[in-house]
Amino acid sequence: MIKRTAEEIESRRARRAERRQKQRDANIARAAKMHIARLASDPLIVITSDDNVARRVHIGCSGWYYWHWKGHFYPTDAPSNQLFSIYQHNFKTVELNAPFYSWPTVATVKTWKRQAEPSFVYTIKVCELITHIKRFEDTHALIEDFGYVADVLGMQMGCFLFQLPPSVRYSTDMLQMILSQLDPRRRNVVEFRHKSWWNEDVYSAFQAAGAIFCSCSGPRLPDELVRTADDIYIRFHGIKQWYRHDYSDAELTVWAERIKLSGAKTVWAYFNNDRDGYSIKNAKRLLQMIDASA
């Protein structure tokens, strides 16, 4: 194992911060271009949240483009342009994390649509420009613009996932600001990372707005399934450590039973524990459990 000096570590951090800032600056320009594209589009092509999902159980991974999956899931010698084909041979849905960091271009979204089979469904994590930079401060137009992704994907669009940072704690003002800006035509999921949001006032407000409260399996977060709509949405991050927990059959059985008892019409579940390919194994196993209990 190579040991790095303090100077090398600090240099890497500085370069990473510089790249992230450039990415964030670029997101503003990309959002502006999508705004123009949305305004120029035919409003009649808007796909509502209830039009586009035939299957009722959607289980997959949070992301699919991981080099460290080579040797675990992808063949070691598989070229990068074949990885998605391998992924969708095993799963019928994916939660895309990349749009969180980089606001997608229309061309990129069209590539997603073109590369996928007609039955494949994408869930899209909304850009941090909305959730982390502006934190929903006057983001109604930005949310509408990002929603154009769904119009381009059409029948292959699943959910929009809005993830808030752990520093955002519950308040009635923040709750109202979030829900008042969501587009009711879309299937909107909101993931909180602070436990204060797990309360009945939030659940009631989500139900009234038709929004989906994201249930989380994650460190220091309430371990429960919350249903606020006909759809339920679960993200599996890990129990004691983020992104690196290998869920046991016993742990997955608990969630399979919760899903069954929820009475939800549609299930969305994504595994974000990508370390060592655990998400692949765990997603397949949960899908087997759900299918067996159907």
Side-chain angles (χ1 to χ4, degrees):
M1 182 176 179
I2 300 174
K3 291 187 177 180
R4 294 183 172 86
T5 65
E7 291 78 7
E8 289 173 329
I9 293 173
E10 185 59 33
S11 178
R12 288 189 65 190
R13 287 176 177 169
R15 290 196 300 270
R16 187 183 303 117
E18 184 179 0
R19 287 196 301 271
R20 289 291 291 116
Q21 189 56 53
K22 287 182 178 179
Q23 202 169 37
R24 286 169 173 165
D25 292 341
N27 283 339
I28 297 173
R30 288 185 171 198
K33 289 182 179 179
M34 188 163 283
H35 176 75
I36 294 171
R38 177 178 68 83
L39 294 181
S41 68
D42 183 350
L44 296 179
I45 70 171
V46 170
I47 304 294
T48 64
S49 63
D50 295 327
D51 291 338
N52 58 336
V53 176
R55 293 192 315 279
R56 290 306 173 193
V57 176
H58 305 264
I59 298 177
C61 301
S62 298
W64 58 271
Y65 194 81
Y66 296 109
W67 285 108
H68 59 269
W69 281 6
K70 286 198 171 186
H72 293 284
F73 180 51
Y74 301 126
T76 304
D77 59 350
S80 59
N81 63 359
Q82 291 183 12
L83 301 187
F84 185 78
S85 294
I86 297 171
Y87 178 88
Q88 73 171 329
H89 180 72
N90 290 268
F91 299 102
K92 297 300 181 183
T93 186
V94 70
E95 180 188 81
L96 291 183
N97 283 319
F100 172 81
Y101 300 100
S102 182
W103 189 294
T105 64
V106 174
T108 296
V109 181
K110 288 180 177 178
T111 297
W112 296 341
K113 184 176 179 66
R114 186 170 57 251
Q115 73 182 358
E117 297 173 356
S119 61
F120 194 87
V121 178
Y122 291 99
T123 277
I124 312 296
K125 190 173 179 181
V126 174
C127 186
E128 66 171 352
L129 177 61
I130 293 169
T131 58
H132 284 55
I133 306 302
K134 291 184 174 293
R135 300 195 178 201
F136 282 94
E137 285 280 354
D138 193 24
T139 56
H140 186 273
L142 282 174
I143 291 172
E144 278 196 271
D145 294 337
F146 199 90
Y148 185 60
V149 170
D151 299 334
V152 177
L153 286 178
M155 303 297 282
Q156 291 177 279
M157 178 67 201
C159 305
F160 280 119
L161 172 66
F162 297 81
Q163 181 208 306
L164 276 295
S167 57
V168 176
R169 302 190 177 199
Y170 167 71
S171 73
T172 55
D173 289 344
M174 189 65 186
L175 175 63
Q176 176 61 23
M177 186 163 62
I178 293 170
L179 294 180
S180 66
Q181 295 182 82
L182 299 182
D183 186 341
R185 299 173 302 172
R186 314 299 186 187
R187 187 177 284 103
N188 300 303
V189 182
V190 183
E191 179 187 18
F192 300 105
R193 292 288 181 90
H194 192 275
K195 63 182 181 181
S196 61
W197 290 93
W198 273 256
N199 70 69
E200 292 300 329
D201 290 340
V202 174
Y203 305 156
S204 297
F206 267 63
Q207 290 171 356
I212 305 166
F213 185 97
C214 181
S215 302
C216 297
S217 175
R220 299 175 299 280
L221 293 175
D223 183 38
E224 60 184 276
L225 193 157
V226 177
R227 177 185 168 186
T228 60
D230 288 338
D231 298 55
I232 56 173
Y233 195 105
I234 310 161
R235 300 191 84 205
F236 292 88
H237 301 292
I239 295 178
K240 295 182 179 179
Q241 287 183 304
W242 291 90
Y243 319 127
R244 60 186 65 199
H245 180 71
D246 183 10
Y247 286 87
S248 67
D249 264 18
E251 290 164 342
L252 292 176
T253 298
V254 170
W255 280 100
E257 186 65 15
R258 289 170 176 170
I259 290 169
K260 180 180 178 180
L261 295 175
S262 73
K265 292 183 179 179
T266 308
V267 177
W268 306 86
Y270 296 98
F271 285 79
N272 198 26
N273 52 334
D274 60 87
R275 181 66 63 91
D276 295 322
Y278 292 144
S279 55
I280 303 156
K281 181 179 71 171
N282 295 164
K284 287 184 174 182
R285 186 67 182 119
L286 181 62
L287 191 55
Q288 289 173 350
M289 291 178 175
I290 298 298
D291 287 344
S293 65

